[in-house]
Amino acid sequence: MRWWDIDPVLRMERELFPEDAWSRGMFWSELAHARGPGASRRYLVAEVDGRLAGYAGLVSSGEQADVQTIAVARDHWGTGLGARLLTELLRAATDFDCAEVLLECRVDNTRAQRLYERFGFEPIGFRRGYYQPGNVDALVMRLTDPSTPVPGTERGTDNHG
């Protein structure tokens, strides 16, 4: 993801996450830490036919990485794009030498939870009222050793949604 991707990303962000969409400043701040020798973030976009189809981001700190966001345009749900984006984030976590990856997922987003479970993420707790202003709880999930494919996940294939 580069600065010129922010406007289309914001449009998709607001469409998919209307209650808790990130701001322009949040994306700028993340991208400021995504380049150079001290980079601690990895943000990427996926385009299909020149149009934004999805985006994702990860932050690393020491041996831990956190998936900050994954979004796929509704007309690309079920195409495997979410799995490809997650695969790239896990590669970035490995490049950052992270031993584990954490993420938060809305408790009502079972579609995303199934994707994460296929990749070996396990639920480890909840964050009550994490998503505001809707006061929706977050399920916290963890993957240990992102560099090792989990048997049965078929990580990186096109048959995940």
Side-chain angles (χ1 to χ4, degrees):
M1 183 184 299
R2 299 297 190 103
W3 65 266
W4 53 82
D5 295 310
I6 291 177
D7 283 340
V9 164
L10 279 173
R11 283 191 292 276
M12 184 180 293
E13 177 82 2
R14 290 176 185 138
E15 177 187 326
L16 295 173
F17 311 112
E19 287 188 359
D20 50 9
W22 282 22
S23 68
R24 179 181 311 280
M26 291 170 77
F27 280 107
W28 272 104
S29 178
E30 290 297 293
L31 291 181
H33 299 283
R35 298 265 182 245
S40 60
R41 291 358 183 228
R42 175 78 170 115
Y43 278 79
L44 47 113
V45 295
E47 293 183 346
V48 175
D49 297 326
R51 188 179 140 262
L52 180 70
Y55 58 92
L58 174 126
V59 61
S60 70
S61 179
E63 292 189 353
Q64 188 176 77
D66 288 282
V67 173
Q68 299 294 294
T69 187
I70 295 182
V72 173
R74 284 187 178 93
D75 60 338
H76 290 280
W77 286 3
T79 65
L81 182 56
R84 290 191 299 275
L85 289 167
L86 183 55
T87 296
E88 289 305 313
L89 293 183
L90 296 178
R91 281 191 186 122
T94 300
D95 291 345
F96 284 127
D97 294 323
C98 295
E100 69 177 4
V101 179
L102 297 172
L103 59 81
E104 291 89 15
C105 180
R106 289 175 62 107
V107 294
D108 58 359
N109 190 346
T110 56
R111 180 182 192 84
Q113 289 170 34
R114 286 192 307 268
L115 171 66
Y116 302 139
E117 287 168 355
R118 285 194 300 261
F119 275 70
F121 282 85
E122 297 176 338
I124 61 170
F126 294 93
R127 294 186 186 205
R128 303 289 177 207
Y130 183 77
Y131 293 99
Q132 294 298 327
N135 201 36
V136 177
D137 295 344
L139 175 65
V140 181
M141 302 180 82
R142 177 179 58 206
L143 173 67
T144 54
D145 193 6
S147 66
T148 304
V150 177
T153 62
E154 302 170 36
R155 187 178 298 166
T157 63
D158 286 340
N159 58 359
H160 299 305

